[in-house]
Amino acid sequence: MTGAASTPNWRGALPTTAGLVEIDEAIRLMQRSNDLTPIGRIAQASNASFLCEIDGGLQVIYKPIRGELPLWDFPEGSLAAREAAAYLVSEALGLGVVPPTILRDGPAGEGAVQLWIDHAGVQRAVDLVNASDEGLRRLALFDAIVNNGDRKGGHILPLPDGRILGVDHGVTFAVEPKLRTVLWAWRSKAFTDEERAIIAGGVQGLTDNGALRAQLSPILDGEEIDAMAARLSDLAATDCFPEPSPDWPPLPWPLV
């Protein structure tokens, strides 16, 4: 019987610019704050992304829908919803790999708002990827479930307590296989008991009357939800991490 390595408390408080903040409190503040005060722009982001401040000195990343560049393979104006959906999946399956993220109005209209996390930096993330650190397995499983088309090293946030989060989930949930990631170290590796339980929970949550399907239905297309349900069933059947597809580039560019 394969056991899972011990992992930090995935619902533990998160390190932010305002100190440690509980996840539920962060969501509450992000939802009720009347103002998002822009204090900077993320210059290297491909879509409009603003660093903003909300109540209590918390900082968030705000990605307005109107600032999204069109993509040939995703419906126009859908990336913010995918960011929010990624958080819902991470929470519902008990993975805890995505910072609190919601859809809400802001200075430039509706968009995704995500808690800004104080983390150990990109170089630490790259070192973990190069070392095939076991702490990345949860993120690799998450990416396989949501069909992440852009897992770069710079999208990985190592926390001081050992947790590892991921950000930039706008190109997820496509119907066609698009998994493109730097996290291939576990390809064809058998799942642990914990991972099997996570997958089984996802299968159950996406049944016709499943709770996760109900959460995702307002923001994702029904075909995209069905495709995720099929991916989860395939993962349960193969009982191992997927191999790269021969029909899609396996690595993002740039890698970081």
Side-chain angles (χ1 to χ4, degrees), residues 28 139 224:
R28 185 184 70 81
L139 198 56
E224 294 170 335

Side-chain angles (χ1 to χ4, degrees), residues 58-187:
L58 281 185
Q59 291 181 355
V60 297
I61 293 293
Y62 164 54
K63 298 181 179 181
I65 293 172
R66 65 189 293 184
E68 296 176 5
L69 295 176
L71 298 174
W72 67 269
D73 52 349
F74 285 86
E76 188 171 347
S78 70
L79 305 189
R82 297 171 197 279
E83 295 264 15
Y87 174 69
L88 292 176
V89 171
S90 171
E91 289 292 290
L93 301 190
L95 283 161
V97 292
V98 180
T101 312
I102 63 171
L103 277 175
R104 57 157 290 177
D105 197 21
E110 187 178 40
V113 174
Q114 184 173 82
L115 186 67
W116 178 268
I117 302 295
D118 274 358
H119 58 95
V122 173
Q123 186 57 56
R124 174 59 179 160
V126 171
D127 290 343
L128 291 173
V129 172
N130 289 339
S132 300
D133 189 278
E134 285 294 297
L136 291 165
R137 278 183 69 125
R138 292 170 78 86
L139 198 56
L141 176 59
F142 169 79
D143 286 344
I145 291 170
V146 303
N147 196 17
N148 191 356
D150 193 33
R151 174 63 69 205
K152 296 181 172 72
H155 298 170
I156 296 171
L157 311 184
L159 305 191
D161 65 2
R163 282 178 292 174
I164 300 174
L165 307 184
V167 296
D168 285 333
H169 298 121
V171 289
T172 49
F173 301 106
V175 173
E176 304 83 4
K178 290 183 181 292
L179 184 58
R180 187 166 52 191
T181 174
V182 296
L183 302 178
W184 288 114
W186 299 276
R187 59 191 183 276

Side-chain angles (χ1 to χ4, degrees), residues 184-197:
W184 288 114
W186 299 276
R187 59 191 183 276
S188 291
K189 294 287 182 67
F191 290 131
T192 65
D193 289 341
E194 180 187 30
E195 290 160 349
R196 293 184 188 104

